[in-house]
Amino acid sequence: MAALAEEQMEVAVKLEPEGPPTLLPPQAGDGAGEGGGGTTSIGPNGGGGNVGAALSAGGDGGTPKPAVAVSVAAPAGAAPVPTAAPEAGAPHDRPTLLAVLQFLRQSNLREAEEALRREARLLEEAVMGSGAPGEVDGAGAEAASALLSRVTASVPGPAAPDPSGTGASGVSAVSGSASGSAAPGKVGSVAVEDQPDVSAVLSAYNQQGDPAMYEEYYSGLKHFIECSLDCHRAELSQLFYPLFVHMYLELVYNQHENEAKSFFEKFHGDQECYYQDDLRVLSSLTKKEHMKGNETMLDFRTSKFVLRISRDSYQLLKRHLQEKQNNQIWNIVQEHLYIDIFDGMPRSKQQIDAMVGSLAGEAKREANKSKVFFGLLKEPEIEVPLDDEDEEGENEEGKPKKKKPKKDNIGSKSKKQDPNAPPQNRIPLPELKDSDKLDKIMNMKETTKRVRLGPDCLPSICFYTFLNAYQGLTAVDVTDDSSLIAGGFADSTVRVWSVTPKKLRSVKQATDLSLIDKESDDVLERIMDEKTASELKILYGHSGPVYGASFSPDRNYLLSSSEDGTVRLWSLQTFTCLVGYKGHNYPVWDTQFSPYGYYFVSGGHDRVARLWATDHYQPLRIFAGHLADVNCTRFHPNSNYVATGSADRTVRLWDVLNGNCVRIFTGHKGPIHSLTFSPNGRFLATGATDGRVLLWDIGHGLMVGELKGHTDTVCSLRFSRDGEILASAMIPENIILHVY
């Protein structure tokens, strides 16, 4: 049995049962929908082979839907399984048999070909025709050619091929000698080079046509699109890039290196400028061996490229491919592209350019249909004490002061629930501490005195400069009250500065704390050691450059993320590391605390973002879906959502409750490096290496504006407290204020 498994060959050919047209010419038997066919098994005593073929005609109008499976085995003395052979003249199975015979001839499987031809009563001339050897003559030539283009061969693992020969899966398994010629007693030979995990990804690239015709196929489609009406040309032009990539990869994988090089040189200049970085990577894949483990190639193969096209444009494309019998292009469209068809007028070039550019095309419309609770949570009711000047008193003349009218404050306005806000208990949030309540009271008082910002009333700006930063500054964060600044450095240190006259102090030793009166009013001051007071504290613990830093809302903790793959939680009372969170396998580019504390998020080179809680050493959620590094992360103001920006040129919004992706934003032409939510939670601003700042409406999942002015990477974004002004910073030194 082991020898039988090694020497058996199975080839399956399957046409799609439904969906878009298969681009085959009409076959004999179309119209009534015969349900004929049968099973054939041939095994002459001479050990020629064991061939099984099944053909069924559909009942959806009579179009035949062949599902052919051929298994060939040549062990000596194998017992045949006699069955009745179908008549070669049957109108519905002749093209199929011709296609199988042609495949066997091209694969040098002479014995199997002769056995099948004799049993099917086909003359050799019917297979070879009057032309060149291997050519199919007669009415079934085009059908056989189209059928052969759908033959898929893949090399399975140690499991033996299916001996039944049903071919139901439509995927073939080939095993045999690795030599160039067939070994005695063996029918076929295939060199097994792919690793099991890579071969599964690359198997579809075995479906190839004539390599010399690839340029003609692509040129024909290009000429058709360029000659189309203006209203359709812009939409159909989106096909150029994904078709170019997949056709090139097919040529490389099937070792047609010269044809692939010629194809790339001829058409790579026709692609959009924002794909140049991807094309540069693609140009390095010149041999089949280069494709193994290449991230760009695997991304393209495992995720379908999304195109959004109007129904009229799509029908025009389908009709053209049907008329031209361009199966090669149509196979790629079916297998590697996702065409999101919509009803209505075709989009203009400007509308398309605003939304395309990501590694996987546009976002599907369904991806942005989920309901998002972008409103703010109801603030707890906190009584705001009156200021001293508001209290009634006497003036110098002994007359009582007039009592000032009580001003509205945030505490009184927040009693009404925002209709767009999530339920208060949708996710568990930490309770407010006394220090948090004091901070909120201070914020409420400041709000009543706040001046409304606008074009005629711009804010004052305070800049802090890091001097003599020889260690290489790689990350910065500032507390909300602007009292502390933290910097991450390339020498693996984290440095914390006080920017107020109040210096940084550590808590006293345990022996000294036991002597303190815990009931005193100023106990929080007494526990601090004045001997440790300084303007700067250096935190050691990471073993690589620090790329992210984030203060907790109560300013008691600091997070840092590093190239060493860890996120560390530091105490700002003792200035020591409390926890090292290990979950990422590669550098962690960013981390941020939730606006309510307790939760935090991190993203890194492993293409995923992780949600953590400070009291759990394992992540609570893993947000997977990006095709490249997660460069930046941000919490929504209500803490129910997390936004991530990636090098795949997309921005995703994730639901903290269930880990689902509820929004995908595409439009940037370069990796995303900065994110920020508006204070009211409705808008998200994003910045990237393309120098653009895009503004998104989270509720509707739409782009609402583009802010121009930068010419390089937008590395930082921040809204003012009232949400009227957005500040953006560019590398190396350029800050722009955008006023709404």
Side-chain angles (χ1 to χ4, degrees):
M1 293 299 294
L4 179 63
E6 291 179 0
E7 299 171 13
Q8 187 160 357
M9 174 178 177
E10 175 181 303
V11 178
V13 182
K14 183 176 181 180
L15 297 188
E16 288 76 8
E18 56 186 355
T22 58
L23 304 184
L24 289 177
Q27 304 289 328
D30 280 1
E34 301 100 346
T39 303
T40 302
S41 182
I42 307 168
N45 293 332
N50 180 9
V51 180
L55 174 66
S56 63
D60 56 345
T63 303
K65 297 183 176 68
V68 182
V70 181
S71 61
V72 182
V81 182
T83 58
E87 294 184 4
H92 56 274
D93 63 353
R94 181 182 175 89
T96 302
L97 292 174
L98 290 175
V100 173
L101 288 169
Q102 185 180 0
F103 175 79
L104 295 176
R105 176 177 291 277
Q106 292 177 352
S107 303
N108 293 324
L109 305 178
R110 298 289 184 180
E111 296 178 355
E113 178 198 351
E114 292 175 3
L116 179 59
R117 182 167 48 79
R118 286 197 305 270
E119 197 69 20
R121 303 172 189 172
L122 285 174
L123 297 178
E124 188 172 0
E125 288 78 7
V127 181
M128 298 184 61
S130 57
E135 236 176 300
V136 180
D137 191 22
E142 294 182 355
S145 177
L147 197 60
L148 280 177
S149 68
R150 298 176 180 272
V151 175
T152 305
S154 65
V155 182
D162 180 14
S164 63
T166 59
S169 66
V171 180
S172 66
V174 182
S175 63
S177 172
S179 62
S181 59
K186 296 187 178 182
V187 177
S189 62
V190 177
V192 180
E193 297 178 359
D194 287 335
Q195 301 172 1
D197 56 338
V198 179
S199 64
V201 175
L202 300 179
S203 60
Y205 287 138
N206 277 330
Q207 297 184 1
Q208 57 150 340
D210 183 0
M213 297 295 292
Y214 274 50
E215 291 188 10
E216 183 177 338
Y217 293 150
Y218 192 89
S219 298
L221 180 65
K222 180 183 175 184
H223 180 264
F224 163 73
I225 293 176
E226 290 177 347
C227 295
S228 301
L229 296 176
D230 292 345
C231 59
H232 301 297
R233 186 186 307 137
E235 286 194 328
L236 295 179
S237 295
Q238 300 178 77
L239 289 163
F240 288 150
Y241 175 67
L243 289 176
F244 170 80
V245 172
H246 284 295
M247 294 177 78
Y248 175 77
L249 291 177
E250 281 192 9
L251 290 171
V252 172
Y253 181 77
N254 292 286
Q255 300 181 354
H256 304 299
E257 298 172 7
N258 294 332
E259 290 84 351
K261 181 179 179 181
S262 174
F263 182 82
F264 187 91
E265 292 178 350
K266 185 173 182 179
F267 298 113
H268 82 279
D270 298 336
Q271 312 308 320
E272 297 288 352
C273 60
Y274 40 80
Y275 292 126
Q276 294 306 312
D277 289 341
D278 299 332
L279 293 176
R280 195 176 300 112
V281 175
L282 193 66
S283 65
S284 64
L285 304 176
T286 58
K287 296 181 180 296
K288 182 178 179 180
E289 292 76 14
H290 298 166
M291 300 175 68
K292 298 178 182 178
N294 184 276
E295 294 180 353
T296 302
M297 189 282 306
L298 292 176
D299 291 339
F300 242 90
R301 179 62 194 94
T302 56
S303 60
K304 288 193 173 184
F305 197 90
V306 181
L307 304 174
R308 192 176 300 175
I309 297 178
S310 66
R311 189 172 301 278
D312 292 342
S313 299
Y314 176 74
Q315 293 294 340
L316 186 68
L317 171 68
K318 186 169 68 172
R319 187 161 54 248
H320 167 75
L321 294 178
Q322 280 180 304
E323 294 173 354
K324 298 298 182 180
Q325 292 293 308
N326 198 335
N327 285 323
Q328 193 63 35
I329 297 292
W330 185 252
N331 288 343
I332 293 177
V333 170
Q334 286 184 305
E335 296 170 15
H336 301 295
L337 306 186
Y338 179 93
I339 298 183
D340 191 357
I341 303 173
F342 65 91
D343 295 314
M345 293 292 294
R347 295 185 299 169
S348 65
K349 175 69 172 174
Q350 184 178 4
Q351 291 174 315
I352 295 173
D353 286 343
M355 301 305 298
V356 300
S358 78
L359 203 60
E362 290 191 57
K364 300 177 184 178
R365 285 179 296 167
E366 295 79 17
N368 293 335
K369 292 293 182 64
S370 303
K371 181 176 177 56
V372 173
F373 299 101
F374 60 84
L376 303 182
L377 295 174
K378 183 181 177 181
E379 294 285 352
E381 297 182 5
I382 302 175
E383 295 184 1
V384 181
L386 296 175
D387 293 334
D388 294 338
E389 64 266 18
D390 292 337
E391 296 179 358
E392 188 174 352
E394 294 185 354
N395 57 17
E396 297 177 357
E397 299 178 357
K399 296 179 182 180
K401 287 184 178 180
K402 293 182 180 180
K403 191 173 183 180
K404 295 183 179 180
K406 190 174 182 180
K407 298 180 180 179
D408 291 337
N409 55 53
I410 294 178
S412 62
K413 290 182 179 179
S414 63
K415 294 180 181 179
K416 187 176 181 181
Q417 179 72 28
D418 187 340
N420 297 310
Q424 201 75 16
N425 59 350
R426 188 170 185 265
I427 62 172
L429 294 172
E431 295 182 359
L432 288 179
K433 297 179 291 186
D434 291 340
S435 59
D436 298 330
K437 293 180 180 179
L438 289 176
D439 287 342
K440 287 190 174 295
I441 290 174
M442 294 299 298
N443 290 335
M444 291 177 184
K445 288 183 177 181
E446 290 180 0
T447 302
T448 60
K449 304 174 184 179
R450 184 180 299 161
V451 177
R452 186 177 180 85
L453 300 177
D456 299 328
C457 185
L458 295 176
S460 59
I461 300 176
C462 182
F463 290 99
Y464 294 95
T465 304
F466 289 83
L467 300 176
N468 303 321
Y470 304 115
Q471 303 85 1
L473 182 67
T474 51
V476 174
D477 192 35
V478 183
T479 55
D480 287 338
D481 64 353
S482 301
S483 62
L484 299 174
I485 291 181
F489 290 84
D491 65 353
S492 75
T493 62
V494 180
R495 300 168 186 250
V496 183
W497 285 269
S498 171
V499 292
T500 64
K502 187 177 181 180
K503 295 185 177 181
L504 302 176
R505 298 169 297 171
S506 301
V507 176
K508 292 181 179 179
Q509 299 295 327
T511 54
D512 297 331
L513 291 175
S514 61
L515 305 176
I516 296 176
D517 181 9
K518 299 179 179 60
E519 302 298 328
S520 61
D521 295 336
D522 59 345
V523 63
L524 295 179
E525 286 293 326
R526 292 189 179 189
I527 64 174
M528 308 307 294
D529 189 354
E530 293 295 335
K531 298 178 182 178
T532 62
S534 64
E535 295 180 352
L536 167 66
K537 294 290 185 180
I538 303 179
L539 310 178
Y540 298 96
H542 284 295
S543 59
V546 179
Y547 291 115
S550 177
F551 284 103
S552 63
D554 59 6
R555 300 179 297 282
N556 288 328
Y557 303 99
L558 174 67
L559 285 170
S560 62
S561 60
S562 169
E563 187 186 52
D564 60 15
T566 66
V567 179
R568 290 183 177 267
L569 180 68
W570 308 87
S571 169
L572 298 183
Q573 303 296 328
T574 62
F575 295 98
T576 57
C577 180
L578 303 178
V579 190
Y581 302 96
K582 299 179 180 179
H584 290 276
N585 299 321
Y586 297 99
V588 186
W589 302 129
D590 193 24
T591 186
Q592 196 209 19
F593 257 115
S594 160
Y596 292 88
Y598 184 63
Y599 300 111
F600 64 94
V601 64
S602 62
H605 181 61
D606 54 6
R607 306 181 177 193
V608 299
R610 285 174 164 82
L611 177 72
W612 309 77
T614 52
D615 57 357
H616 289 69
Y617 63 89
Q618 293 291 340
L620 306 179
R621 297 283 186 273
I622 297 179
F623 306 122
H626 282 295
L627 301 179
D629 298 29
V630 177
N631 294 331
C632 48
T633 58
R634 284 296 178 272
F635 262 98
H636 190 275
N638 64 24
S639 199
N640 278 250
Y641 301 95
V642 168
T644 56
S646 170
D648 66 6
R649 307 189 283 276
T650 66
V651 177
R652 290 176 179 253
L653 188 70
W654 309 87
D655 193 337
V656 168
L657 179 65
N658 49 36
N660 293 335
C661 179
V662 293
R663 291 290 184 270
I664 302 177
F665 299 128
T666 62
H668 279 292
K669 308 302 186 287
I672 316 296
H673 279 274
S674 53
L675 301 168
T676 188
F677 285 97
S678 62
N680 62 7
R682 182 176 179 181
F683 300 105
L684 172 67
T686 60
T689 58
D690 57 6
R692 304 163 69 211
V693 176
L694 301 182
L695 197 63
W696 307 90
D697 185 325
I698 297 173
H700 296 91
L702 300 173
M703 182 196 301
V704 295
E706 176 183 352
L707 309 177
K708 300 179 180 179
H710 291 298
T711 58
D712 207 333
T713 301
V714 179
C715 60
S716 182
L717 291 167
R718 188 65 61 91
F719 275 99
S720 61
R721 292 182 185 273
D722 59 4
E724 297 292 331
I725 291 181
L726 172 66
S728 58
M730 183 190 78
I731 296 176
E733 44 186 26
N734 185 5
I735 296 179
I736 297 179
L737 295 181
H738 306 275
V739 184
Y740 299 100

